[in-house]
């Protein structure tokens, strides 16, 4: 394909400086403020963040699924080396579902209640692969089997309401598989499902990444979900990416105060040092008039004047880990060491021995 | 499905009996009764008793009720107290006249409402939507009698373009003549039926368009037109179809005021005259007829709904 000198081989999706702004009631909501993302072939990338951090909007902007009142701008948006910014609406539409598919949070409402599962599948098979009639039926049955739906032949003629939530999410994944996409974006695919089903769906996604050879972007607010299935993680906050790295980087060597705070809020049976979970005080910043500086400054325990003056630049660490903070990880650790003993002494059950 | 309809029909029977009892008792409870209408204060006690006996008013209430109900079941609605004419015969002439007026105007309003509602709903917030929704909001606030008067004033008085009374000129039963009489009440009714349906279709389109499945279809590369026609339309039209069933009683009582204003020889003026003249048998007959149609209309609506929606269809079969 064209533009190979710009996109290194293996880069499926490259996003540079993506900005999405909503126009609402004469105010501007800057939901995404300059996001860089790269998805490589075979990647299982997690985009994590709390609600309102812009993770969903980022991926919907990439898909071209934003409503009319949203402006999407980017310095670069390429898929397989092709410039998506230069594409016509029609070309973008053909790409959706064909090369990039997306599934969503609530499988209960994601299917048209008046159409059978078979119709849903046949529709995408016809649109993206030109399959009709018996060929389409055979393929639909095969794909339903692949996502683990029992007796798929009978299921084809059933309506969405005859499926459980987990089964409907499998149907949606099957719809995505029908198109044989290179990239599947899963927007909180397990949030509406109970825990055992969650694990099954995530397993399925990981298996399909290996079998069908597609890359997956998983949008999630749940670090526990992410740790088990992903190989790379991007942490978002206030419309920007705070830290990126491999899953080991993020979970074992987090360099950004926000990532560290997030991990502090996840129950970890192996770590008995703190005893109780540490929540992050305050709430996410308003994106109507976002601060110039670090969006986390108001809730961060390491905040200094520099944080509020301008958006901190990324600091690169070994491997490909980057963190957007004015302090290096070493500086943060040093501040921790001088601060902790005093804090621990002040807390009600002084655990000075933990040092 | 057949079992479901049969069950619904069985449920309708006690309901109709209950309605007949209520209608009968309400009319009996009214201060002025049929005997008062047929007698004058000057008549002797014996004459009044004889009239009572002649019409069966000396019997106990329940005997009277069953006599009336028995008549209804045989298609005998009784006789007008005032004109002594058969109600069934009168209705047999008047109901077709009413249907001739209501059915075309309702269908025109219905189809227009669906088209405009889908257009407005799918372009929510656009100028087109504001115009359509604005017109519907104004029309919903316009009483049909006022609109009828306005039309009469403009087309009948100022322009002298159209006749304003009746269904045809005496001695002229030609098609063109009936058509000229038809226009004003037809326009009035169409405008009266339109805004309600239009707003319903529009809001139901907006509800459907904001559903997740629409975004999912978009994410799978469906064209906007495909989403509109294959998915949104079908989901909107299901509930809209049920309104058609609910509109069934309109065929008899849908145009009482408009018909009365234009002296259209339908059920409207007949009903109004009966109410004013305390002609109870007519009032009772029309009440029974329209409540029967309400029940049948609801059943029809439910059946249409079940046919359109598999969730209800299968719920009903179990």
């Amino acid at each position: 394909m064209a533009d190979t000198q710009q996109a290194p081989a293996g880069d499926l999706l490259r996003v540079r400086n993506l900005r999405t702004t909503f126009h609402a009631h004469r105010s501007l909501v800057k939901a995404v403020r300059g996001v860089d993302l790269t998805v490589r072939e075979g990647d299982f990338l997690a985009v994590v963040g709390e609600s309102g951090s812009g993770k969903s909007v980022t991926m919907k902007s990439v898909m071209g699924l934003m409503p009319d009142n949203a402006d999407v701008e980017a310095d670069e948006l390429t898929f397989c080396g092709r410039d998506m910014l230069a594409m016509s609406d029609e070309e973008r539409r053909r790409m959706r579902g064909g090369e990039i598919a997306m599934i969503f949070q609530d499988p209960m409402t994601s299917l048209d209640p008046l159409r059978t599962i078979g119709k849903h599948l046949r529709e995408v098979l016809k649109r993206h692969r030109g399959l009709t009639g018996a060929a389409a039926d055979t393929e639909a049955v095969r794909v339903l089997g692949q996502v683990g739906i029992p007796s798929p032949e009978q299921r084809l003629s059933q309506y969405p309401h005859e499926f459980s939530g987990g089964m409907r999410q499998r149907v949606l994944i099957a719809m995505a598989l029908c198109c044989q996409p290179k990239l599947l974006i899963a927007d909180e695919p397990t949030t509406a499902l109970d825990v055992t089903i969650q694990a099954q769906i995530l397993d399925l996604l990981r298996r399909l990444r290996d079998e069908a050879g597609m890359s997956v972007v998983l949008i999630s607010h749940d670090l526990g979900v992410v740790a088990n299935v992903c190989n790379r993680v991007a942490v978002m906050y206030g419309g920007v990416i705070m830290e990126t790295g491999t899953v080991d980087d993020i979970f074992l060597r987090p360099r950004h105060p926000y990532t560290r705070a997030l991990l502090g809020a996840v129950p970890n049976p192996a770590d008995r040092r703190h005893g109780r979970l540490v929540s992050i005080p305050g709430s996410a910043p308003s994106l109507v008039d976002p601060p110039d500086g670090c969006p986390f400054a108001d809730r961060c325990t390491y905040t200094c004047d520099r944080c509020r003056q301008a958006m901190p630049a990324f600091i690169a660490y070994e491997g490909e880990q980057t963190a957007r903070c004015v302090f290096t990880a070493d500086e943060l650790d040093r501040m921790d060491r001088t601060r902790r003993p005093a804090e621990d002494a002040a807390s009600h059950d002084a655990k000075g021995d933990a040092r | 499905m057949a079992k479901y309809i049969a069950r619904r029909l069985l449920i309708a029977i006690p309901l109709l009996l209950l309605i007949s009892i209520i209608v009968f008792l309400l009319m009996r409870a009214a201060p002025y009764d049929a005997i008062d209408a047929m007698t004058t204060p000057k008549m002797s006690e014996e004459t009044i008793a004889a009239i009572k006996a002649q019409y069966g008013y000396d019997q106990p209430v329940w005997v009277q009720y069953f006599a009336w109900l028995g008549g209804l079941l045989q298609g005998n609605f009784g006789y007008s107290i005032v004109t002594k004419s058969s109600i069934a015969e009168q209705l047999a002439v008047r109901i077709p006249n009413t249907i001739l007026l209501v059915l075309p105007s309702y269908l025109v309003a219905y189809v227009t409402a669906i088209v405009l509602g889908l257009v407005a709903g799918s372009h929510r917030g656009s100028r087109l939507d504001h115009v359509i929704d604005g017109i519907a909001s104004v029309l919903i606030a316009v009483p049909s009698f006022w609109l009828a008067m306005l039309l009469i004033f403009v087309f009948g008085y100022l322009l002298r373009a159209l006749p304003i009374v009746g269904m045809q000129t005496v001695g002229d039963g030609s098609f063109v003549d009936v058509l000229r009489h038809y226009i004003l009440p037809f326009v009035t009714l169409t405008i009266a039926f339109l805004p309600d349906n239009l707003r319903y279709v529009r809001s139901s389109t907006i509800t459907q368009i904001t559903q997740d499945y629409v975004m999912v279809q978009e994410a799978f590369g469906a064209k906007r037109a495909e989403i509109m026609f294959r998915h949104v339309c079908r989901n909107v039209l299901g509930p809209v179809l049920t309104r058609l069933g609910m509109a069934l009683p309109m065929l008899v009582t849908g145009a009482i005021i408009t018909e009365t204003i234009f002296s259209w020889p339908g059920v409207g003026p007949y009903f109004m005259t009966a109410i004013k003249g305390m002609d109870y048998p007519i009032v009772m007959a029309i009440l029974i007829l329209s409540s029967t149609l309400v029940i049948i209309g609801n059943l029809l609506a439910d059946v249409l709904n079940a046919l359109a929606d598999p969730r209800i269809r299968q719920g009903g079969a179990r």
Side-chain angles (χ1 to χ4, degrees):
Chain A
M1 316 245 165
D3 266 358
T4 32
Q5 82 276 20
Q6 208 178 348
D11 275 7
L12 203 55
L13 177 72
R14 278 168 60 87
V15 181
R16 292 293 172 267
N17 196 17
L18 178 81
R19 303 172 303 274
T20 302
T21 310
F22 290 96
H23 302 263
H25 305 291
R26 296 205 190 112
S27 60
L28 296 179
V29 181
K30 295 176 181 167
V32 177
R33 303 184 286 153
V35 160
D36 295 353
L37 270 181
T38 304
V39 182
R40 302 201 190 96
E41 269 168 36
D43 250 355
F44 203 126
L45 170 71
V47 180
V48 293
E50 44 198 290
S51 43
S53 60
K55 52 195 190 308
S56 219
V57 174
T58 300
M59 294 323 292
K60 281 183 191 163
S61 300
V62 169
M63 283 290 279
L65 283 179
M66 297 309 290
D68 294 339
N69 68 335
D71 273 347
V72 179
E73 295 169 306
D75 293 351
E76 183 187 346
L77 185 56
T78 50
F79 185 77
C80 293
R82 277 173 298 161
D83 186 0
M84 290 169 79
L85 293 170
M87 284 183 188
S88 67
D89 286 352
E90 180 63 17
E91 286 171 297
R92 286 290 289 273
R93 180 188 68 73
R94 247 178 249 161
M95 205 160 184
R96 281 200 291 272
E99 287 166 283
I100 314 179
M102 185 160 182
I103 59 171
F104 298 89
Q105 180 166 352
D106 191 354
M108 303 309 277
T109 56
S110 286
L111 295 163
D112 180 346
L114 301 186
R115 315 202 107 209
T116 61
I117 299 309
K119 262 192 183 166
H120 276 97
L121 293 172
R122 270 181 233 119
E123 207 171 36
V124 287
L125 282 169
K126 185 175 176 214
R127 186 183 305 137
H128 295 292
R129 288 170 63 191
L131 291 178
T132 50
D137 283 351
T138 316
E139 180 64 7
V141 168
R142 189 190 68 79
V143 172
L144 282 182
Q146 197 181 1
V147 298
I149 290 180
S151 51
E153 293 87 356
Q154 287 83 19
R155 290 298 221 166
L156 275 187
S157 57
Q158 291 186 335
Y159 288 91
H161 71 272
E162 297 170 83
F163 287 68
S164 66
M167 282 296 157
R168 284 190 215 188
Q169 196 59 283
R170 284 173 198 266
V171 169
L172 282 156
I173 296 171
M175 271 172 78
L177 281 181
C178 280
C179 314
Q180 299 177 321
K182 297 195 178 93
L183 176 64
L184 174 67
I185 300 169
D187 186 353
E188 306 250 9
T190 60
T191 306
L193 306 174
D194 62 52
V195 178
T196 47
I197 309 295
Q198 254 185 35
Q200 291 172 10
I201 295 286
L202 290 169
D203 264 358
L204 173 66
L205 285 178
R206 194 166 45 178
R207 185 163 60 79
L208 292 175
R209 192 230 4 209
D210 300 337
E211 284 175 9
M214 59 182 187
S215 308
V216 180
V217 174
L218 175 72
I219 301 171
S220 181
H221 66 272
D222 188 341
L223 283 169
V225 160
V226 166
N228 293 322
V229 291
C230 298
N231 65 336
R232 287 173 55 233
V233 181
V235 180
M236 279 193 77
Y237 186 83
V240 293
I241 288 183
M242 289 302 208
E243 182 165 5
T244 60
T246 63
V247 73
D248 284 349
D249 290 337
I250 297 294
F251 284 89
L252 302 178
R253 297 173 293 280
R255 315 282 182 156
H256 195 283
Y258 177 61
T259 316
R260 292 180 175 192
L262 271 186
L263 289 169
V266 175
N268 182 0
D271 179 7
R272 314 196 67 115
R273 198 180 50 175
H274 280 293
R276 53 167 59 209
L277 295 175
V278 187
S279 67
I280 308 176
S283 58
S286 158
L287 295 173
V288 175
D289 193 14
D292 291 334
C294 174
F296 190 56
D298 286 343
R299 302 170 76 185
C300 184
T301 47
Y302 309 96
T303 310
C304 67
D305 289 344
R306 278 194 294 155
C307 299
R308 298 187 197 277
Q309 281 158 9
M311 185 73 78
F314 277 109
I315 298 175
Y317 295 90
E318 58 268 31
E320 48 185 60
Q321 190 174 12
T322 58
R324 192 192 276 278
C325 184
V326 296
F327 297 114
T328 63
D330 288 342
E331 284 168 333
L332 292 172
D333 289 341
R334 225 172 295 131
M335 278 190 263
D336 264 356
R337 273 195 293 277
T338 54
R339 208 185 296 178
R340 269 271 165 62
E343 267 178 21
D344 283 351
S347 74
H348 61 286
D349 55 348
K351 286 186 190 160
D353 56 334
R355 283 284 98 218
Chain B
M1 198 66 208
K3 212 171 127 193
Y4 170 71
I5 297 173
R7 203 178 64 207
R8 287 293 307 268
L9 279 174
L10 280 176
I11 296 172
I13 291 172
L15 205 57
L16 280 170
L17 278 175
L18 191 68
I19 288 169
S20 72
I21 291 171
I22 292 171
V23 166
F24 186 82
L25 290 181
L26 277 177
M27 286 300 147
R28 290 288 305 188
Y32 184 88
D33 70 13
I35 295 301
D36 296 328
M38 284 182 280
T39 58
T40 62
K42 283 182 194 154
M43 288 180 179
S44 66
E45 290 287 317
E46 295 80 50
T47 320
I48 293 174
I51 292 173
K52 274 191 179 178
Q54 187 193 340
Y55 288 97
Y57 282 95
D58 55 343
Q59 305 284 323
V61 173
W62 61 271
V63 175
Q64 291 181 33
Y65 168 74
F66 280 112
W68 175 67
L69 188 67
L72 280 186
L73 291 178
Q74 291 161 33
N76 176 8
F77 289 89
Y79 296 87
S80 159
I81 296 171
V82 179
T83 66
K84 308 282 190 280
S85 58
S86 158
I87 296 173
E89 275 172 27
Q90 280 287 323
L91 287 179
V93 178
R94 288 176 173 272
I95 288 177
N97 285 347
T98 298
I99 290 177
L100 180 71
L101 191 57
V102 173
L103 191 64
S105 52
Y106 193 87
L107 288 182
V108 167
Y110 186 76
V111 171
T112 314
I114 289 175
V115 173
L116 292 182
L118 282 171
V119 168
S122 60
H123 295 84
R124 186 190 189 182
S126 69
R127 186 165 300 168
L128 190 62
D129 176 38
H130 286 309
V131 169
I132 294 176
D133 191 42
I135 291 174
S137 302
V138 170
L139 290 185
I140 212 164
V142 171
S144 59
F145 69 85
W146 182 83
L147 182 69
M149 307 275 214
L150 193 73
L151 289 174
I152 288 174
F153 179 71
V154 173
F155 292 98
Y157 176 72
L158 287 183
L159 301 176
R160 304 207 181 246
L162 292 166
I164 57 169
V165 164
M167 198 162 98
Q168 56 203 37
T169 316
V170 178
D172 181 1
S174 70
F175 177 73
V176 175
D177 184 56
V178 174
L179 196 66
R180 278 165 47 80
H181 283 83
Y182 192 72
I183 293 173
L184 290 186
F186 170 78
V187 169
T188 307
L189 280 178
T190 305
I191 291 176
F193 292 140
L194 179 70
D196 192 33
N197 280 318
L198 173 52
R199 285 167 60 111
Y200 185 86
V201 175
R202 176 180 174 269
S203 73
S204 144
T205 306
I206 289 170
T207 312
Q208 289 301 327
I209 260 179
T210 49
Q211 294 287 310
D212 286 350
Y213 72 80
V214 170
M215 189 178 53
V216 171
Q217 285 300 324
E218 230 179 308
F220 280 99
K223 290 186 193 121
R224 216 184 137 74
E226 274 178 327
I227 297 175
M228 251 340 260
F229 289 111
R230 291 205 197 146
H231 299 275
V232 174
C233 271
R234 278 202 58 195
N235 277 285
V236 169
L237 291 187
V240 173
L241 202 60
T242 67
R243 286 177 77 86
L244 209 52
M246 307 267 234
L248 192 66
M250 295 265 189
L251 290 180
V252 173
T253 54
I256 289 176
I257 293 169
T258 308
E259 281 180 331
T260 307
I261 290 174
F262 289 101
S263 301
W264 187 265
V267 178
Y270 187 56
F271 191 46
M272 291 299 275
T273 313
I275 291 173
K276 282 187 278 184
M278 308 210 192
D279 205 340
Y280 292 138
I282 297 176
V283 177
M284 282 159 77
I286 292 174
L287 284 181
I288 287 291
L289 201 61
S290 70
S291 38
T292 308
L293 287 179
V294 168
I295 288 172
I296 296 175
N298 274 314
L299 173 64
L300 194 65
D302 286 348
V303 170
L304 288 174
N305 206 1
L307 287 176
D309 193 331
R311 287 165 294 186
I312 300 169
R313 186 161 67 229
Q314 290 166 358
R318 259 169 228 145

